[in-house]
Amino acid sequence: MADIIKLLPDHVANQIAAGEVVQRPASVVKELMENAIDAGSTSIKLIVKDGGKTLIQVVDDGLGMSETDARLSFERHATSKISSAQDLFNLQTKGFRGEALASIAAIAHVDMQTRTADNEVGTHLKIEGSKIISQDVVATPKGTSISVKNLFFNIPARRNFLKSNQVELRHITDEFHRVAMVHPSIEFHFYNNGAEIFNLPSTKHRQRIVHIFGSKMEHRLVPVNEETDVVKVSGFICKPEFAKKSRGEQFFFANNRFIKSPYLHHAVVAAFEGLIKSDTYPGYFLFLDVDPSSIDINIHPTKTEVKFDDENTLYAILRSTIKHSLGQFNVAPVLDFDHDPNLDTPYSYKEKGAVLPKVTVDSTFNPFEEKTPSKGTGRGNFHKQSTKGWEDLYEGLGNQNDNQEFSSVVIESESEEQGTLYSGEDIEDHLASTFQLRRKYVVSTVKSGMLVIHQNRAHERVLFEKFLGEITVKEGVSQQLLFPLELTFNKQELAVLKEIKESLTNIGFAFQSLEEETVKVTGVPMMVPESGIGTVLDRLIADYMEGYSDGSISQAELLAKALSRNLAVRTGDVLDQESQLILVNNLFACKEPNLSPFQKITYTIISEGDIDKKFN
């Protein structure tokens, strides 16, 4: 039998490795920035064009490379970080495999200029698809500048799977945050299509977080600090009242490396138990320093998945540390046994004794005695009024609910031109037969049996089609605010607002200005309460950033989904009978009434036959 096992050529092996290391432009940004940090840089510039598809350039002022090192750096498994397998148990650098540059050069056009402090001139390398095109001498500053152009130029299938420029830029920004946050002593600059996105000076951890997420983060942070034999925990957590319904402000760093750990995340959530709602996520920026020999980061090519030797102990320490910080800074509720001076006896009454209160009674009073008023008193024509019809005074008060927050949720009726399930004389009949079940379902009768509607999903469908139509035809009704409302957002959230501003305007939002970190809102859609504007916009931005990551649906559809989810009536809200009937009619006036915007069933019909079977 002939030999069938063959050694793969280097360019084929490089492309296979590139599939693991370089998944999208953000992967290139991560690898290049980490190399710049390992080179001892004090200033790093990141320049991106078209979401990284056209250009990704990282410029640093680190050690630089000699002519030989520059050439060798693009070979597989060539690295200066480790020299033996034993070094894997004491890693002090970001990279160690020696695959990043070789993988990047295999699927892109790479242009590198580098110079060490000892040399007067540097080296200029041009590589296309692992092939060295040219190597020249060049005058360049100390450090390294690497430009990656036309990513996946020789793998068109991979390039076609990339998302839109906005989505890819969002992933790049996330990687930039992860690298910049853990190295506050390094100065970072981020440019996108010629515009400066971030200018982060050298500072401390707290100020670096504030510079990235905006000045509003300053008063939200609670410091965390604990040192044990197993781990040193430092960083910050966000106060419980600022927990969000979406992820985005959860960061773990182990030995100055960003990691993802659902197990440790559960420890943080457990520490916040009782302080936040079950469907919200606390924000945290936690730095863990452990013995390098007790952590394995060589599990996945992205190095974000790690394995600790003793995760159970780490879990307990992290949970108790956060609980301690919440209590130490009076964030968690505590019993107050302090003396209240308002309950003290006034000084002027200190020497006075107790006095029995005096009660005077009219002993001659007789409630059954009939008195004839004297003439001239003006009350001779007094006569007892009839009590007939007293019920009319309380008409309409029977449907009031004691729930203060949602005493009556009113659902607006759609246009009369749309079809309805009940019309004309049927409305009065069905008003009596429509009721709310456990503040979750609206139950009514139809000819074939009993109709059960999920009020939240049904209202989501109604609002989704309403908002989608308003965005498309640009006919949203705006309610002007008497005083403009100023809201604060970080740079990433502000960029999202600018991106979707036109669609928001079509729905009914009106903005006076979108300045740095400050947004002035002058008008809102009719359904948005003034007190909930900030919450709605926060959730809208979070839903947009989370939902737009796949790029499979349009911006208008995504915004309509996000708004419908945030403004629809909730399970537990009380609806009066008129609102129940309007909801039923509006649902069946929709184009697709049987499914919510999130592809969940909105109603079901229980036939009379199904009911009869229950009694057989």
Side-chain angles (χ1 to χ4, degrees):
M1 182 177 178
D3 298 335
I4 59 174
I5 298 178
K6 298 179 181 178
L7 188 65
L8 287 175
D10 287 344
H11 70 279
V12 177
N14 284 340
Q15 288 195 2
I16 294 173
E20 295 181 351
V21 178
V22 184
Q23 300 172 353
R24 60 192 330 149
S27 306
V28 177
V29 171
K30 174 182 179 293
E31 299 292 345
L32 296 183
M33 290 186 68
E34 288 183 347
N35 280 346
I37 291 171
D38 287 340
S41 306
T42 59
S43 177
I44 299 176
K45 292 182 181 178
L46 172 62
I47 302 170
V48 172
K49 288 186 179 178
D50 300 330
K53 300 174 185 177
T54 304
L55 171 67
I56 298 172
Q57 183 178 5
V58 174
V59 183
D60 67 68
D61 60 353
L63 297 175
M65 289 180 280
S66 64
E67 182 179 354
T68 305
D69 286 344
R71 185 74 175 259
L72 192 59
S73 65
F74 288 96
E75 299 295 329
R76 285 195 73 199
H77 307 306
T79 180
S80 62
K81 315 297 175 61
I82 62 174
S83 57
S84 65
Q86 189 63 29
D87 294 337
L88 290 172
F89 299 101
N90 190 29
L91 286 171
Q92 304 292 338
T93 57
K94 301 288 185 181
F96 53 88
R97 293 196 184 100
E99 287 185 326
L101 289 181
S103 300
I104 294 171
I107 42 86
H109 297 166
V110 179
D111 190 306
M112 183 175 76
Q113 298 183 19
T114 181
R115 179 176 75 85
T116 62
D118 300 333
N119 296 330
E120 295 183 357
V121 292
T123 304
H124 184 194
L125 269 176
K126 285 187 178 181
I127 302 177
E128 295 180 3
S130 296
K131 295 180 180 179
I132 297 178
I133 305 300
S134 65
Q135 179 174 346
D136 303 315
V137 176
V138 67
T140 182
K142 181 182 80 74
T144 304
S145 171
I146 299 183
S147 300
V148 179
K149 304 174 183 176
N150 304 323
L151 196 64
F152 300 123
F153 79 99
N154 53 353
I155 312 178
R158 178 69 66 85
R159 188 176 180 89
N160 291 336
F161 274 99
L162 294 179
K163 307 303 180 183
S164 65
N165 292 347
Q166 293 87 349
V167 175
E168 296 300 338
L169 178 63
R170 199 161 294 132
H171 285 284
I172 291 174
T173 305
D174 289 340
E175 290 293 347
F176 178 82
H177 286 171
R178 295 167 182 175
V179 176
M181 201 177 304
V182 77
H183 296 283
S185 59
I186 300 177
E187 180 181 336
F188 287 93
H189 300 269
F190 183 12
Y191 301 89
N192 175 50
N193 294 335
E196 185 179 66
I197 306 298
F198 287 98
N199 183 353
L200 306 177
S202 176
T203 181
K204 302 294 184 181
H205 274 129
R206 186 185 188 105
Q207 290 304 315
R208 176 56 57 89
I209 295 172
V210 172
H211 288 156
I212 291 176
F213 291 98
S215 57
K216 64 180 180 181
M217 188 62 71
E218 175 70 35
H219 66 280
R220 297 184 180 182
L221 298 178
V222 176
V224 176
N225 198 359
E226 186 68 41
E227 187 169 358
T228 67
D229 295 337
V230 178
V231 61
K232 178 184 177 183
V233 182
S234 60
F236 303 91
I237 54 176
C238 293
K239 295 178 181 178
E241 59 264 33
F242 298 106
K244 294 185 176 181
K245 288 201 171 185
S246 60
R247 299 177 183 266
E249 294 177 357
Q250 292 79 33
F251 293 88
F252 274 120
F253 300 94
N255 293 354
N256 289 338
R257 184 190 304 276
F258 174 78
I259 64 170
K260 295 179 180 178
S261 176
Y263 186 66
L264 296 183
H265 171 76
H266 187 274
V268 178
V269 174
F272 278 87
E273 186 178 2
L275 299 176
I276 61 175
K277 296 180 180 179
S278 58
D279 59 344
T280 58
Y281 300 94
Y284 54 83
F285 311 88
L286 297 174
F287 305 88
L288 311 177
D289 290 333
V290 299
D291 185 0
S293 61
S294 67
I295 180 175
D296 184 7
I297 59 176
N298 195 20
I299 296 178
H300 193 271
T302 60
K303 307 186 189 79
T304 56
E305 297 179 16
V306 299
K307 181 68 176 176
F308 295 97
D309 279 353
D310 192 356
E311 283 189 330
N312 293 334
T313 303
L314 204 60
Y315 181 100
I317 293 174
L318 188 60
R319 181 174 177 268
S320 61
T321 299
I322 293 176
K323 273 186 169 293
H324 176 70
S325 293
L326 290 171
Q328 183 180 8
F329 293 92
N330 294 327
V331 177
V334 294
L335 292 176
D336 184 12
F337 293 107
D338 292 339
H339 179 69
D340 189 354
N342 293 325
L343 300 179
D344 289 344
T345 304
Y347 183 78
S348 57
Y349 287 83
K350 192 172 182 180
E351 303 298 332
K352 290 186 178 181
V355 179
L356 186 68
K358 296 181 180 179
V359 180
T360 57
V361 179
D362 184 5
S363 57
T364 62
F365 175 73
N366 184 359
F368 302 102
E369 182 182 359
E370 293 184 3
K371 294 183 179 180
T372 304
S374 58
K375 295 181 180 181
T377 58
R379 291 184 292 177
N381 297 327
F382 173 82
H383 63 278
K384 189 175 181 180
Q385 295 285 348
S386 172
T387 58
K388 186 178 180 181
W390 63 271
E391 300 94 338
D392 296 340
L393 299 174
Y394 300 94
E395 184 178 358
L397 298 180
N399 293 330
Q400 296 297 327
N401 185 272
D402 4 353
N403 189 323
Q404 295 180 357
E405 186 176 359
F406 297 108
S407 59
S408 178
V409 179
V410 180
I411 300 179
E412 297 179 357
S413 176
E414 294 296 320
S415 172
E416 295 180 359
E417 299 177 358
Q418 296 177 329
T420 59
L421 189 64
Y422 310 127
S423 59
E425 299 177 355
D426 295 338
I427 293 182
E428 292 185 3
D429 297 336
H430 286 284
L431 266 175
S433 61
T434 302
F435 64 94
Q436 191 178 22
L437 177 64
R438 296 193 177 276
R439 300 185 180 182
K440 184 176 183 179
Y441 302 103
V442 174
V443 182
S444 187
T445 57
V446 290
K447 292 181 179 179
S448 56
M450 184 169 62
L451 174 69
V452 182
I453 296 178
H454 193 292
Q455 66 183 40
N456 173 253
R457 297 178 185 177
H459 203 204
E460 282 180 347
R461 165 53 63 179
V462 173
L463 294 180
F464 171 72
E465 296 196 4
K466 176 179 181 292
F467 286 128
L468 191 61
E470 289 179 353
I471 295 175
T472 306
V473 301
K474 304 179 181 180
E475 292 183 355
V477 179
S478 179
Q479 177 182 359
Q480 296 301 305
L481 301 178
L482 186 60
F483 300 102
L485 182 64
E486 289 192 5
L487 302 174
T488 305
F489 298 95
N490 61 44
K491 292 185 178 180
Q492 192 172 7
E493 293 170 340
L494 199 62
V496 173
L497 267 182
K498 291 180 179 179
E499 184 180 337
I500 62 177
K501 179 183 176 182
E502 183 178 354
S503 297
L504 292 179
T505 304
N506 295 338
I507 294 173
F509 282 98
F511 302 98
Q512 183 176 339
S513 62
L514 291 172
E515 300 175 358
E516 185 175 356
E517 294 190 0
T518 303
V519 174
K520 287 187 177 180
V521 183
T522 58
V524 294
M526 296 294 292
M527 295 192 62
V528 179
E530 185 175 351
S531 59
I533 297 174
T535 304
V536 169
L537 284 178
D538 278 338
R539 291 177 180 175
L540 187 63
I541 293 172
D543 289 344
Y544 183 81
M545 293 172 66
E546 185 177 349
Y548 208 48
S549 58
D550 57 1
S552 59
I553 59 177
S554 66
Q555 184 186 100
E557 186 177 350
L558 184 65
L559 285 178
K561 279 186 175 181
L563 279 169
S564 65
R565 176 161 61 182
N566 291 320
L567 296 178
V569 295
R570 309 284 182 188
T571 297
D573 292 357
V574 178
L575 305 180
D576 57 32
Q577 280 195 316
E578 186 178 357
S579 295
Q580 294 169 21
L581 193 62
I582 292 174
L583 178 61
V584 175
N585 284 332
N586 288 349
L587 175 64
F588 288 97
C590 292
K591 296 179 180 178
E592 194 175 350
N594 57 325
L595 291 176
S596 75
F598 305 96
Q599 304 304 307
K600 295 181 180 179
I601 297 176
T602 57
Y603 72 91
T604 184
I605 295 179
I606 303 175
S607 66
E608 186 177 352
D610 293 335
I611 299 175
D612 290 339
K613 289 179 183 179
K614 298 292 182 181
F615 293 93
N616 291 334

